[in-house]
Amino acid sequence: MNPTDTTQSAADSGRSMLIDFSGFCFGFSAGIVIGYFLFIYFQPTDVKDVKVCPLEEYDSNSLDGILHEIPLWVKNPDCDRIDWVNRFLEIMWPYLNKAICKTAQDIAKPIIAENKEKYKIDSIEFETLTLGSLPPTFQGMKAYVTEEQELIMEPSLKWAANPNVTVVVKAYGLKATIQVVDLQVFASPRITLKPLVATIPCFAKILVSLMEKPHVDFGLKLLGADVMAIPILYRFVQETIKKQVVSIASKRPVGILLVKVLRAQNLQKKDLLGKSDPYVKLTMSDDKLPSKKTTVKHSNLNPEWNEDFKFVVTDPETQELEIKVGKHDKMGMNKILLKELPPEETKITTYNLLKTMDPNDIHNEKSRGQISLEMTYKPFNEDDIEKGAHGIDIVGKAPDGTPIGGGLLYVVVHEAQDLEGKHHTNPYARIIFKGNEKKTKMIKKNKDPRWEDEIEFVCEEPPANDKLHVEVLSKPPKKGLIHGKETLGYIDISLADVISNKRINETYHLIGSKNVGIVIGYFLLIYFQPTDVKNIKVRPLVEYDSDSLDDTLPDIPLWLKNPDYGRIDWLNRFLELMWPYLNKAICKIALDVAKPIIAKNKEKYKIDSIEFETFTLGNLPPTFQGVKVQVTNEQELVMEPSLKWAGNPNITVAVKAYGLKATIQVLDLQAFVLPRITLKPLVPTFPCFANILVSLMEKPHVDFGLKLLGADVMAIPVLYKFVQETIMDQVASMYLWPKTLQVPIMDPSKAFKKPVGVLFVKALRAQNLREKGPLGKRNPYVKLKMSGSKLPSKKTAVKHSNLNPEWNEEFKFVITDPETQELEINFGKDEKLGMNRISLKELFPEETKVTIVNLIKTMEPNGRQNEKSAGQITLELTYKPFKEGNVEKEDPGGLLYVVVHEAQELEGKYNTNPYVKITFKGEEKKTKETPANDKLHVEVLGTKKALIHNKESLGHIDISLADVIINKRINEMYHLINSKRGKIQIELQWRSS
């Protein structure tokens, strides 16, 4: 073949391929565009209406499909509906959102700073951090109490959020932006208040755990693409999150600590004859199980035991083995951190015994002897951890190195139902496994006890052929009674299924249970009832006449009469459970308040003494008939509960005067109150409100008995009416709306961080900057930023090839807290030339100060790099606080502070992804003169990523600023021009300089 022909053929072939490729690219692009428009503009029009029908008409398959969408209060009669809490959250969410985000940033900053150098990262910054506008919602709430002085609440939480968390990471000269969007969380937490105490707030600790693995789903955008759309990565992230959350919230077994108590030496003498009877108590911290003890070695100061013990470990990073020697730990003690023990390694160590665990206690200087232990920590295999109780990971296999086939039998005794004793029902459970016996706590007078006790047995071999004997017994209320302990039933559970399936969770019928007695007793009771009792007539309210309705109206709960009021049964249940402790706490506070008042007035009225013989509010708590939650435009949350209290207090006061003694007793209290509780102002700092204001919406009704010398003096009509009116008038004069009782919680000025002044900064010059490389050239510029401000840094011009640059450039910064804020100074790209900070509290108001600041390499106080000089910068600083009082006409200027709160009922033709653009005289921050004749232009726009219709106006408003100058502040909801129903809430403040 001719070479020319070959070349021509190759060229033709290449040209053909190029044409084919170009055609493919054009056709593919055109297809994408056409498909996009077809998808957008040719949506199907034959969409059918949604079929709505009651649940009873659904078949089983359809019910299964929607079951997870049904609120928990519908599916579970133990759970209460809590719509008012959701309303409360909805109103508070803008402030909670900011408070949570601020707390998250404060927690993240030191963690980021600690790990930046470790992973060679230049910087990690939050570009945006907001949890969005959609708050979590509670699907229901269950509350109950146990015999362990604790109150347990189990809410069901769902959160379909629209957060925008954007993190910018810079490393190795590259920059990556990571964005978290579209968050979904379904969780079932258990909140335990324990122990309950008789001091406000009536509990000492809050414990939070998860009843099942949470469902967490979110989008993760990296370089513009959602990486969570990759199935393998999505599954990995889901499982990792669940494991991490469970490991934090659930504290399940992760290993076993084998301890051998060898010997002790040189113990102290504890009696007159120079003898001691030592034994050792070993306890694992954060473990509910009792201590394990060695045998007692009589009359021995150097005993040997060689006894073995095993402990289940749930958190080797924080748990400690507590060692105590002798009765009441009098011979000595110590602690061993588990994180100091290498896994799978046997370690023999001798520990000094101490008087106390206080490191500064001088008694620890005296020797109290030593104890020698042999310890081995054996973690469980990760691959063998299976799903456990409540859906949380627990142990499946024992660790390597334990006897062949050894492991852990983990037993959770949840509850029993329909128990019935012949003479008493104070149940507890006894668990017997291979001769080892363990017991749950006893619950008094309860046919349906709930224990939730955890019991562990360490096994030498698989108990495949063994049984677990569980017996429920009842203990008599007092020792020495004729009727002693009795069995309420038992069950023997084969453990073969546990070995095969790793976990079983069943309800067992007790053998020998007397449930039949309940049925017989019930029918006997019905049989011997009188036969001439008429049935109560039950009718719906619509059938009542007006007179009958008037009679029953006071007894109908407010949530039933008024649709604005929410039902709050769970709160009444909460009050019922907490009342024994609240009762004592309230009585104690009342006594503390009364004592100085009595002492002050005793001499005035010639009274010898006034003493409270008894003071209790009784065992009947108040009940809430309903609650209304509403919000105003004044940054406040208003709640109006309806309170009724038919109490049985016993308040007895003994008064002695003129040689006589009179005893006055208050009893049979009834109170009907309609208070208004206002939380204001709402602030973006926990607890998200600065004051609690309490007032009464109507005069309260208070009725009670008053016994004097054994007779109820309130039975005297004239006196009763006088006391009633006096109480109502006195209370009304103090608290009837608009008068209020104000309880301050925090200083709102600190919470709001409102502008209080302006800092004027003039960057003058820099000297002796550090050279760069062999050519010694630098291109310096200065970045200035105010700490605690969301605004970006301000920069000077770049001075090329200059180690002693001059700028003379001016900048202004709005100050919100001059006591804590700092001016951050950074030099050059990525702060490579140097940095420093200036604390604002070092500046005197209205005084201009020229200062020279040394540049350092890092803000670490002990950084070695700071020993070498990086140069200096000279700044001129003036802090001018805002003036208080009225603004005069000749006032030179000030700060216009704008808060864009929210918009409602926005509607776009093509999109509704709104943001707000604010225009004011072309100036963004500080005005140069009083803007009394100016207007603020506010426009709401919608945007989306699209080829066309990517931006549109959703409405606008022009706000005259004259009212702001006169009133200092306005907070209004404005109707948007060119919008059908759109509104926007804007708050404006004027501060004069």
Side-chain angles (χ1 to χ4, degrees), residues 281-300:
K281 282 197 301 182
L282 300 172
T283 308
M284 184 61 65
S285 63
D286 296 333
D287 194 344
K288 296 179 181 179
L289 298 176
S291 303
K292 299 185 179 183
K293 298 179 183 178
T294 65
T295 54
V296 179
K297 298 295 182 180
H298 296 282
S299 306
N300 196 336

Side-chain angles (χ1 to χ4, degrees), residues 424-631:
H424 46 77
T425 307
N426 305 307
Y428 67 95
R430 183 173 66 174
I431 318 294
I432 302 174
F433 174 68
K434 286 189 168 183
N436 293 323
E437 180 179 315
K438 296 186 180 182
K439 299 176 183 178
T440 67
K441 55 183 171 283
M442 183 189 75
I443 299 179
K444 295 179 180 178
K445 298 180 181 179
N446 199 321
K447 296 181 180 181
D448 301 298
R450 189 183 186 100
W451 292 289
E452 297 293 348
D453 278 6
E454 301 174 2
I455 297 169
E456 297 151 350
F457 297 98
V458 178
C459 307
E460 300 293 332
E461 58 184 17
N465 301 317
D466 296 305
K467 291 186 177 182
L468 189 75
H469 180 77
V470 181
E471 186 175 8
V472 182
L473 301 103
S474 176
K475 200 173 183 179
K478 292 182 181 179
K479 291 182 180 179
L481 292 179
I482 298 173
H483 307 295
K485 191 187 301 181
E486 61 178 283
T487 298
L488 306 181
Y490 71 92
I491 186 71
D492 289 311
I493 303 171
S494 174
L495 298 178
D497 287 344
V498 186
I499 306 304
S500 304
N501 302 317
K502 304 295 187 205
R503 170 186 177 259
I504 56 174
N505 188 6
E506 298 287 345
T507 299
Y508 298 93
H509 291 279
L510 293 171
I511 300 169
S513 174
K514 297 183 173 62
N515 280 351
V516 178
I518 298 173
V519 179
I520 293 172
Y522 176 71
F523 281 104
L524 285 174
L525 178 66
I526 297 297
Y527 182 78
F528 287 109
Q529 289 294 317
T531 56
D532 58 345
V533 178
K534 295 181 180 179
N535 291 329
I536 298 172
K537 187 175 182 182
V538 180
R539 293 182 296 163
L541 288 177
V542 293
E543 295 182 8
Y544 276 67
D545 56 33
S546 57
D547 293 335
S548 301
L549 269 176
D550 287 341
D551 293 339
T552 60
L553 208 57
D555 296 321
I556 298 174
L558 202 57
W559 62 265
L560 192 58
K561 294 185 284 188
N562 192 330
D564 290 337
Y565 279 78
R567 188 173 182 176
I568 47 176
D569 290 344
W570 77 271
L571 189 58
N572 290 326
R573 175 67 175 150
F574 181 95
L575 264 179
E576 179 188 346
L577 301 175
M578 289 289 286
W579 185 245
Y581 305 94
L582 281 168
N583 179 8
K584 292 177 183 176
I586 293 168
C587 290
K588 184 177 183 299
I589 292 171
L591 286 171
D592 292 341
V593 171
K595 281 178 182 177
I597 298 172
I598 292 170
K600 184 179 178 181
N601 289 280
K602 273 199 308 181
E603 292 186 10
K604 181 179 178 182
Y605 295 102
K606 310 296 182 184
I607 297 171
D608 297 329
S609 69
I610 300 176
E611 293 180 356
F612 289 93
E613 286 185 351
T614 60
F615 198 140
T616 174
L617 300 179
N619 58 6
L620 300 175
T623 58
F624 289 97
Q625 305 294 298
V627 68
K628 180 168 64 173
V629 179
Q630 56 187 353
V631 71

Side-chain angles (χ1 to χ4, degrees), residues 882-899:
F882 291 128
K883 295 176 182 177
E884 298 299 329
N886 293 328
V887 180
E888 302 296 337
K889 287 184 179 179
E890 63 271 14
D891 203 84
L895 181 84
L896 179 63
Y897 188 78
V898 183
V899 181

